[in-house]
Amino acid sequence: MAAGAAQSQIAAAWALLPDYLSQHVLLSASALALGVAISLPLSVLAARNPMVRWPALTLTGVIQTIPGLALLALFYPLLLALSAFTAGAMGFRIQALGFLPALLALTLYSMLPILRNGVAGLLGVDPAVREAADGVGMTPRQKLLRVEAPLAAPVVMAGIRTAAVWTIGAATLSTPVGQTSLGNYIFSGLQTENWVYVLFGCAASAGLALIVDQLLGLIERGAARRDPRPAVIGLLLLLVGVGAALAPQLLRAATPAYVVGAKNFSEQYILADLISTRLQNAGGAVTRRDGLGSAIAFRALEAGEIDVYVDYSGTLWTNVMGRKDTPPRAELMAQLTDWMAREKGVTVLGSLGFENAYALAMERKLATSLGVETLSDLATQSSALTIGGDLEFLSRPEWASMKKAYGLRFRRQKSFNPTFMYRALGSGDADVISAFSSDGRIAAQDLVVLGDPKGAVPSYDAVILISPKRAGDKRLIEALRPLVGAIPVEEMRKANYAVDRDDGKVSPAEAAAGLAKAVKLD
Amino acid sequence: MPDAPAIAFQDVSRRYAGKAAVDAVSLSIPAGQFVAVVGASGSGKTTLLKTVNRLTEPDDGQVLVEGRDVAGEDPVGLRRRIGYVFQGVGLFPHMSVAENIAITPRLLGWSTEDIDARVDALLSLVSLPLDYRRRLPDQLSGGERQRVGVARALAARPGILLMDEPFGALDPVTREALGLATRSLHEKLGLTTLMVTHDVQEAVILADRIIVMAQGRVLADDAPRALLAGHPDPVVAALMDTPARQARAISALMEAG
Ligand SMILES: Nc1ncnc2c1ncn2[C@@H]1O[C@H](COP(=O)(O)OP(=O)(O)O)[C@@H](O)[C@H]1O
Ligand SMILES: [Mg+2]
């Protein structure tokens, strides 16, 4: 029932639109306003002074060549360092995740077209007219405001228009730094291969850009023809649009919400939906920070920028605690819980009941023909095989310790987007892949998960983490405690597969509802 | 100093890249005089004119306006007191005729009623219909634009009017009419007028006094009649002979016909 599935996905996408659109509009409008506020005075300075012009145009030009995603990502560590500094020096933290990094990056992004057109517009004013302004007795300021600015206005407006379209487009990239935008459709859609979501997100942001472009076009026309009517109409419609888009934002701002985080893969989206629903059922308001980078998520929790998310014990053990040993599962959990409370003030509420461990997997046919059941067996064959891993896995200490413990040495090593990695097995692009033990595709593709007899890799219990700020929040803890120990790995695999499979896939929210029902927590 | 000249140049020089555009010029222009500055293109006429309201600063020497060294005056205030008609007019393209004319009074903070009355008076002074107020400069003919330029220069009731080739690029008929109109405004308003032109005939007809410039220097300075009678400098003599030469050529043609 592909058509029915697509229809239900479109309905699910529509339901998310008010929140996504509203945040997208707020973000891009703020970035554009800030960009204009900085770039216009800078244009005046740059037009007057070649010593400013060259560096300003070059710098904004260089910023423009940085890929949008990288620029956004750069601001997170920068703000984190700044936040640590202000916390130490002035006793308050600035927000390193979400709105602020996205705003700053997009503001920088918006500057080039405004600055370039501003300078061109001002320098394009006929020198004879400028001299006449001096000659009739204008001060430099009067000359700027009464003559140069109005004459440069159409060119400047064209620059602002370009900047608006760029900013609205680039704002979709702010999802990974924890700012909700129309990009949430695109990122979660790519992750779960939900092409309906991807298309929906692209269409929504393109539509928004088109509308804004048209309205700014009206203002530009007004400026060019020195006719205030189209400009006023354009401005009014723009304000009404921004106001309407912001309404859900303002309504929601009244209740301080729980911020639920999710990293960027299907299981995380499903669990975040599960957690959100439980919090809402308990009467709490929820905002989401979806698609966070793995390293970003814990630091965001620590800083109180998200209140709750699910991470994995082994990941925290190696990445956050910096431990290299691999104690047995129960002992690792106990030490982790203790350490988190003591060192970070973070509550480890408990394990959900399943592991999502890093493991290597092969197609059963190949494994059987090579006689490989464990990593020890694989080591004897690996020099003839190609391993495919996701980008994160290949740079993780677990991979290093696996290689070291078993002496794994592969013929080739390739990195894939997690979704395409599983395909690589079928197409022969990889013989062995890094797999997650809760992945639904293991059962679906009949893969063999190779054993780890030497215990090279720690256990990866899925654990609920609660921020220091919410450590004493009874409602939150009572709403989530029933999840502890409630989810067996088979149910998690099923839910993951429901989202990841190609035919009849469902949205993470639907999968979360199904999962809740299956474990009798609905 | 009741007898101070309206404008006095004392040894004024201005150099661009080491080359003198104006070279040690000394002149005294009494109040009420209509003076024409003639000379080939590049001879320094515009540069000399601009030193009066400090659009250009002299490298050496002094310019006195009504007895006071302009170097000591606020350039903005000075320019509002002196009317200036630009070479190529220089109307503000985004402002209507009325806004262009009203600009200096507005900068001076006149009341709206005074400004409105002044714009109407100036439009009739330069013989433009009152319903031109709302037009933009690009909806005017060349001659109409020049008239607006003159009206703008006169708007704040200056005592001194500087004009830089105000009637260039006009057809001869319009040019002559506008020139004569300006001369009569000069009389009516009691102005001191310094007009740059490269048209000797125009200078002869309109001015009380003609200054001939070449390479930044004053070659001759006298009444039109005196200069027409002959001059020891061959360049001046040739220049001043142009109207007569043209008249002779025309009458020869008529006779042949
Ligand atoms: N702003 C300037 N920069 C450099 N050279 C200039 C400038 N203004 C005028 N000049 C030079 O000074 C000389 C006199 O110019 P100008 O006063 O405009 O002459 P005119 O008005 O008689 O044609 C010319 O050689 C011109 O190139
Ligand atoms: Mg000139």
Side-chain angles (χ1 to χ4, degrees):
Chain A
M1 271 312 293
Q7 240 161 39
S8 87
Q9 280 160 12
I10 292 174
W14 271 112
L16 294 168
L17 190 63
D19 183 38
Y20 288 4
L21 182 64
S22 151
Q23 304 220 37
H24 198 99
V25 168
L26 177 64
L27 175 65
S28 15
S30 310
L32 190 65
L34 199 58
V36 169
I38 298 172
S39 308
L40 286 188
L42 194 57
S43 311
V44 173
L45 229 75
R48 296 258 154 94
N49 189 346
M51 303 277 280
V52 177
R53 190 183 316 152
W54 186 83
L57 284 172
T58 309
L59 197 69
T60 48
V62 166
I63 289 170
Q64 205 57 239
T65 66
I66 302 176
L69 202 56
L71 187 65
L72 278 149
L74 274 175
F75 266 93
Y76 176 68
L78 220 68
L79 284 172
L80 206 64
L82 200 64
S83 174
F85 171 76
T86 57
M90 285 166 269
F92 71 94
R93 285 191 167 275
I94 56 169
Q95 187 199 13
L97 199 65
F99 189 73
L100 198 58
L103 174 71
L104 294 180
L106 290 177
T107 299
L108 282 181
Y109 225 53
S110 73
M111 282 175 59
L112 180 66
I114 308 176
L115 188 65
R116 196 162 48 194
N117 280 40
V119 170
L122 288 172
L123 291 181
V125 174
D126 182 356
V129 171
R130 256 186 277 151
E131 183 165 61
D134 289 329
V136 300
M138 289 191 192
T139 62
R141 196 186 153 77
Q142 289 167 333
K143 178 164 73 164
L144 176 65
L145 294 180
R146 290 172 187 247
V147 176
E148 290 169 319
L151 289 176
V155 182
V156 174
M157 269 315 297
I160 293 177
R161 211 169 142 185
T162 308
V165 172
W166 286 7
T167 306
I168 290 169
T172 56
L173 301 175
S174 58
T175 299
V177 294
Q179 167 61 38
T180 302
S181 71
L182 293 170
N184 281 34
Y185 289 122
I186 300 171
F187 280 89
S188 76
L190 276 176
Q191 204 51 55
T192 60
E193 294 200 18
N194 184 337
W195 306 125
V196 173
Y197 266 39
V198 173
L199 280 176
F200 196 93
C202 292
S205 92
L208 179 64
L210 257 171
I211 291 170
V212 170
D213 186 48
Q214 289 304 308
L215 294 181
L216 289 173
L218 275 179
I219 301 179
E220 182 187 334
R221 210 172 318 148
R225 292 199 202 140
R226 318 207 181 290
D227 177 1
R229 273 165 305 176
V232 167
I233 294 172
L235 200 66
L236 272 179
L237 287 175
L238 212 57
L239 287 177
V240 168
V242 170
L246 292 190
Q249 255 334 82
L250 298 173
L251 291 178
R252 219 188 36 191
T255 44
Y258 292 117
V259 185
V260 176
K263 299 198 210 179
N264 58 349
F265 51 95
S266 309
E267 181 172 295
Q268 286 276 322
Y269 292 121
I270 297 168
L271 293 174
D273 273 320
L274 186 64
I275 289 173
S276 301
T277 307
R278 291 195 67 83
L279 290 175
Q280 280 160 346
N281 289 346
V286 171
T287 48
R288 289 284 291 272
R289 294 269 185 272
D290 280 357
L292 300 174
S294 187
I296 286 179
F298 183 77
R299 274 186 280 176
L301 182 87
E302 201 186 342
E305 286 167 10
I306 59 178
D307 294 318
V308 55
Y309 83 106
V310 172
D311 211 325
Y312 303 93
S313 58
T315 310
L316 298 166
W317 183 259
T318 38
N319 288 10
V320 180
M321 294 175 68
R323 298 280 290 260
K324 300 217 158 38
D325 53 332
T326 53
R329 188 171 170 184
E331 193 188 325
L332 188 152
M333 266 300 286
Q335 283 195 40
L336 175 72
T337 307
D338 186 48
W339 188 89
M340 280 290 169
R342 204 178 53 237
E343 300 289 327
K344 301 283 184 185
V346 167
T347 307
V348 180
L349 193 61
S351 164
L352 290 170
F354 70 92
E355 267 196 89
N356 184 355
Y358 281 106
L360 296 189
M362 300 174 73
E363 290 204 310
R364 185 172 301 280
K365 218 169 53 192
L366 182 64
T368 315
S369 75
L370 295 176
V372 172
E373 286 177 2
T374 66
L375 294 176
S376 309
D377 303 335
L378 181 64
T380 64
Q381 310 279 347
S382 60
S383 60
L385 302 176
T386 299
I387 183 162
D390 63 73
L391 272 173
E392 193 183 338
F393 176 77
L394 294 173
S395 59
R396 288 185 69 90
E398 288 91 341
W399 170 228
S401 73
M402 234 184 235
K403 275 196 293 192
K404 195 161 151 238
Y406 295 96
L408 294 172
R409 198 166 289 114
F410 287 91
R411 188 166 61 89
R412 289 185 62 191
Q413 172 176 314
K414 295 182 183 172
S415 61
F416 295 93
N417 164 316
T419 310
F420 295 117
M421 197 168 66
Y422 284 86
R423 302 248 173 94
L425 279 182
S427 65
D429 285 324
D431 304 309
V432 182
I433 59 167
S434 70
F436 299 104
S437 55
S438 61
D439 198 306
R441 289 168 289 201
I442 289 176
Q445 289 190 26
D446 194 20
L447 303 184
V448 178
V449 175
L450 304 180
D452 174 17
K454 295 187 186 170
V457 177
S459 55
Y460 288 86
D461 273 294
V463 293
I464 299 177
L465 299 183
I466 296 171
S467 69
K469 189 171 87 184
R470 297 287 192 186
D473 189 321
K474 287 226 168 54
R475 179 166 65 176
L476 175 78
I477 290 171
E478 289 321 311
L480 300 185
R481 198 184 293 286
L483 291 174
V484 172
I487 303 176
V489 71
E490 294 75 22
E491 291 303 335
M492 194 67 238
R493 277 191 189 150
K494 258 191 231 164
N496 285 338
Y497 191 60
V499 171
D500 289 334
R501 70 180 160 202
D502 293 328
D503 292 329
K505 65 164 63 236
V506 301
S507 71
E510 289 171 294
L515 177 61
K517 200 168 195 170
V519 302
K520 306 208 162 46
L521 281 174
D522 54 340
Chain B
M1 282 202 293
D3 292 324
I7 305 169
F9 300 91
Q10 298 178 347
D11 241 353
V12 171
S13 295
R14 168 74 207 200
R15 286 175 289 275
Y16 287 112
K19 200 174 150 283
V22 170
D23 194 359
V25 169
S26 293
L27 290 169
S28 177
I29 299 169
Q33 205 166 46
F34 194 123
V35 179
V37 183
V38 298
S41 163
S43 58
K45 308 181 294 292
T46 297
T47 306
L48 184 72
L49 203 65
K50 282 182 182 171
T51 61
V52 177
N53 71 351
R54 295 190 64 184
L55 285 175
T56 294
E57 305 285 351
D59 292 316
D60 294 311
Q62 290 177 328
V63 180
L64 307 185
V65 168
E66 285 150 1
R68 285 209 302 264
D69 186 350
V70 295
E73 302 222 17
D74 167 34
V76 170
L78 181 73
R79 289 169 196 160
R80 291 176 186 177
R81 286 196 285 119
I82 297 175
Y84 199 113
V85 182
F86 289 88
Q87 188 167 7
V89 194
L91 294 184
F92 302 118
H94 59 302
M95 295 184 192
S96 68
V97 165
E99 287 169 327
N100 263 287
I101 294 175
I103 191 72
T104 306
R106 188 153 285 148
L107 295 174
L108 286 166
W110 290 21
S111 75
T112 317
E113 301 89 74
D114 288 353
I115 291 176
D116 277 350
R118 185 68 184 150
V119 169
D120 286 346
L122 283 161
L123 281 173
S124 57
L125 202 64
V126 298
S127 312
L128 284 175
L130 289 187
D131 59 6
Y132 271 39
R133 282 174 139 268
R134 300 169 66 92
R135 291 212 188 175
L136 289 175
D138 63 7
Q139 297 166 322
L140 302 179
S141 73
E144 289 164 344
R145 252 176 273 167
Q146 305 273 12
R147 286 173 197 267
V148 175
V150 172
R152 180 175 72 180
L154 294 175
R157 299 200 175 87
I160 294 173
L161 179 61
L162 307 176
M163 297 198 285
D164 193 356
E165 305 198 23
F167 315 125
L170 287 187
D171 64 275
V173 178
T174 314
R175 185 174 183 134
E176 189 182 3
L178 254 178
L180 292 172
T182 307
R183 174 74 216 202
S184 77
L185 278 178
H186 167 89
E187 305 295 344
K188 192 149 74 177
L189 302 176
L191 301 171
T192 305
T193 303
L194 188 55
M195 177 179 81
V196 167
T197 175
H198 56 241
D199 182 338
V200 175
Q201 193 173 330
E202 186 172 81
V204 166
I205 292 168
L206 299 180
D208 304 320
R209 172 181 171 191
I210 294 178
I211 289 159
V212 182
M213 286 186 75
Q215 285 154 10
R217 296 176 154 274
V218 174
L219 292 190
D221 174 5
D222 215 333
R225 181 180 288 276
L227 285 177
L228 284 173
H231 196 272
D233 188 310
V235 176
V236 178
L239 190 69
M240 292 309 298
D241 191 36
T242 23
R245 220 169 39 235
Q246 280 165 356
R248 282 196 297 274
I250 291 165
S251 37
L253 234 139
M254 307 263 288
E255 274 161 32

